């Protein structure tokens, strides 16, 4: 078995939802790929070697996505896959898009751009549990609904959405479905979702950053975002990012073999329980999102503390956590996901996300728990916050 890249010895990395460490299989595929200098579109031997490697890589990603290789379109990451799905579907047409208030900004900003071009957008809110009720999606569907875009699991809370049910309802109404599976590919099966379009990103499951894929189920077609030399069967022009693709394919194969299975999921649930139980001793603790969740992502609020201060205190001890989604780090506004769930602004600003993955050990969790409990306790003492229920 290939050993995943360990975090540096002095670092406890609990920010896998922002980006997962590169796995050793991906690193070695990238190293080998440096020797493949041909352009996969060239007829000569060097080009054909690159072409063969591209075909094999597409096949490995297709296995993870549970689709035919021809349905895989490589993109420059998850955001581009999402933009291709939404903009490509609505190119040259108006109609109606249904999405949810807890989507990643790649979906929400893309929906906003489409709305400025005349597409009618309905944004459905979540329940306090962090889940979108399929009945609310059904109520939003109209005869002119072209597309429903929903995420598989939320990047801040880990809440797994009832995607199969939503897909069934949307299809019955004649609409297409796009699923943002960036937070689940490699952790949960994404093959049987029934969606027409599925976006994934390599760096969330052990591959390199800046490479992703859109699964485009046949016979659905869409207008490319990037026009040019006809690569990716005319769906995304530009000489392929071979190193990224090879790294993504190796990470996909690694995830298919080692991560996306019941044993790994059971181990992740045990680590989650250890983390949540450990943190709860400090009292005044709330986990945002009920089951079902991806166990690896834990959104937790501590009464009376500021999340950014807590994250900085932990960072100074070599423990990496986040105060929300990485792409919003640095902003002082409360999380749009938590506020949509009905969480108060105060609680949202007291929320950190701890997310683990391949390579995380029980010892890492215990060390992070001990440091967090001590830091929360100290920060509350300094601010004079009294909390009931602390043991
Ligand atoms: C749910 C979700 N969708 C989309 C993205 C964007 O992916 P990328 O960083 O590859 O553009 C992310 C990244 O954080 C994400 O968590």
């Amino acid at each position: 078995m290939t050993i995943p890249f360990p975090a540096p010895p002095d670092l406890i990395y609990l920010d896998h939802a922002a980006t997962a460490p590169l796995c050793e299989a991906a690193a070695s595929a990238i190293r080998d790929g440096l020797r493949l200098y041909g352009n996969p579109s060239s007829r000569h031997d060097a080009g054909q070697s690159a072409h063969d490697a591209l075909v094999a890589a597409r096949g490995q990603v297709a296995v993870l996505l549970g689709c035919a290789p021809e349905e895989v379109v490589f993109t420059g990451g998850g955001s581009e896959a999402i933009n291709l799905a939404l903009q490509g579907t609505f190119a040259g047409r108006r109609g109606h898009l249904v999405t949810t208030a807890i989507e990643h900004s790649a979906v929400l900003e893309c929906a906003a751009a489409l709305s400025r071009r005349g597409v009618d957008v309905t944004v459905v809110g979540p329940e306090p549990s962090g889940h979108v009720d399929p009945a609310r999606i059904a109520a939003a569907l109209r005869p002119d609904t072209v597309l429903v875009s929903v995420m598989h699991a939320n990047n801040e809370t880990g809440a797994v959405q009832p995607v199969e049910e939503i897909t069934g309802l949307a299809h019955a109404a004649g609409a297409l479905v796009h699923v943002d599976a960036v937070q689940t590919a490699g952790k949960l099966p994404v093959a049987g979702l029934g969606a027409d379009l599925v976006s994934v990103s390599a760096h969330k499951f052990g591959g390199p950053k800046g490479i992703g894929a859109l699964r485009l189920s046949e016979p659905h077609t869409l207008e490319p975002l990037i026009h040019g030399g006809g690569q990716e069967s005319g769906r995304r022009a530009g000489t392929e990012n071979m190193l990224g693709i090879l790294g993504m394919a190796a990470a996909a194969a690694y995830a298919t073999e080692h991560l996306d299975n019941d044993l790994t999921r059971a181990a992740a649930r045990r680590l989650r329980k250890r983390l949540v139980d450990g943190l709860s001793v400090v009292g005044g603790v709330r986990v945002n999102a009920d089951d079902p969740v991806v166990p690896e992502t834990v959104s937790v609020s501590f009464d009376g503390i500021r999340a950014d201060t807590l994250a900085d205190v932990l960072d100074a001890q070599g423990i990496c956590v986040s105060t929300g989604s990485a792409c919003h780090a640095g902003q002082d506004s409360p999380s749009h996901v938590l506020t949509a769930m009905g969480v108060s602004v105060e609680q949202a600003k007291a929320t950190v996300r701890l997310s683990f993955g391949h390579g995380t050990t029980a010892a890492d969790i215990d060390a992070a728990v001990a440091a967090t409990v001590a830091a929360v306790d100290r920060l509350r003492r300094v601010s004079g916050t009294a909390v009931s229920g602390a043991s």
Side-chain angles (χ1 to χ4, degrees), residues 17-18 76-80 82 103-107 151 153-155 180-183 200-204 210-212 325-327 353:
S79 300
E80 187 190 317
I82 289 165
E103 299 301 308
H104 186 270
S105 51
V107 168
M151 65 198 333
N154 184 265
N155 47 305
D180 172 357
V182 167
Q183 288 291 336
V200 297
S201 179
H203 73 104
K204 307 290 186 179
I211 180 76
S325 63
C327 32
R353 177 186 68 184

Side-chain angles (χ1 to χ4, degrees), residues 37-384:
Y37 49 82
N39 185 321
S41 299
S42 298
R43 286 178 64 85
H44 48 62
D45 245 27
Q48 286 311 296
S49 302
H51 176 262
D52 292 349
L54 179 60
V55 169
R58 197 182 302 284
Q60 283 172 314
V61 173
V63 171
L64 182 74
L65 296 179
C67 66
E70 309 78 61
E71 295 179 320
V72 175
V73 182
F74 286 115
T75 63
S79 300
E80 187 190 317
I82 289 165
N83 275 263
L84 177 58
L86 271 62
Q87 295 195 47
T89 298
F90 278 99
R93 69 204 275 199
R94 293 192 170 190
H96 181 221
L97 166 70
V98 176
T99 189
T100 87
I102 57 170
E103 299 301 308
H104 186 270
S105 51
V107 168
L108 291 175
E109 291 301 322
C110 193
L114 289 171
S115 146
R116 289 192 291 275
R117 282 185 228 154
V119 173
D120 206 4
V121 178
T122 301
V123 179
V124 174
E127 303 305 302
S129 67
H131 302 99
V132 174
D133 182 349
R136 295 184 70 179
I137 298 281
L141 291 168
R142 307 190 317 217
D144 65 337
T145 306
V146 175
L147 184 71
V148 174
S149 184
V150 62
M151 65 198 333
H152 194 190
N154 184 265
N155 47 305
E156 293 187 30
T157 65
V160 176
Q161 306 302 321
V163 165
E164 289 94 332
E165 220 179 313
I166 289 171
T167 300
L169 291 164
H171 282 167
L176 296 165
V177 177
H178 165 250
V179 172
D180 172 357
V182 167
Q183 288 291 336
T184 50
K187 293 188 190 119
L188 295 180
V190 294
L193 298 176
D196 307 283
L197 301 141
V198 179
S199 294
V200 297
S201 179
H203 73 104
K204 307 290 186 179
F205 58 85
K209 298 165 189 62
I211 180 76
L214 177 67
R215 174 190 174 173
L216 175 61
S217 297
E218 288 176 338
H220 186 52
T221 55
L222 41 67
E223 181 70 15
L225 295 178
I226 304 171
H227 299 268
Q231 289 89 349
E232 297 299 299
S233 303
R235 298 167 298 189
R236 202 269 190 185
T239 301
E240 296 82 353
N241 169 6
M242 285 301 292
L243 296 180
I245 290 171
L246 295 173
M248 178 175 190
Y254 178 79
T256 305
E257 196 178 344
H258 300 293
L259 306 181
D260 179 3
N261 61 58
D262 288 342
L263 263 182
T264 306
R265 280 189 280 276
R269 277 195 296 276
R270 283 196 297 276
L271 282 186
R272 181 186 182 89
K273 184 169 180 336
R274 197 175 184 107
L275 179 59
V276 172
D277 288 353
L279 294 175
S280 299
V281 302
V282 79
V285 176
R286 270 172 282 186
V287 174
N288 303 298
D290 302 337
D291 277 337
V293 287
V294 279
E296 292 91 341
T297 301
V298 183
S299 167
V300 59
S301 313
F302 297 96
D303 291 352
I305 63 117
R306 281 193 54 111
D308 47 5
T309 312
L310 174 60
D312 288 350
V313 169
L314 293 175
D315 186 30
Q317 297 170 62
I319 300 169
C320 304
V321 304
S322 115
T323 52
S325 63
C327 32
H328 287 126
Q331 283 184 13
D332 197 33
S333 49
S335 146
H336 73 279
V337 173
L338 296 177
T339 47
M341 287 163 58
V343 169
S344 69
V345 170
E346 197 189 353
Q347 188 184 331
K349 289 191 172 186
T351 302
V352 290
R353 177 186 68 184
L354 301 97
S355 53
F356 56 87
H358 61 262
T360 309
T361 62
D364 292 336
I365 296 291
D366 292 347
V369 163
T372 307
V373 165
V376 168
D377 201 37
R378 203 165 62 247
L379 291 171
R380 283 177 178 163
R381 277 178 214 280
V382 170
S383 65

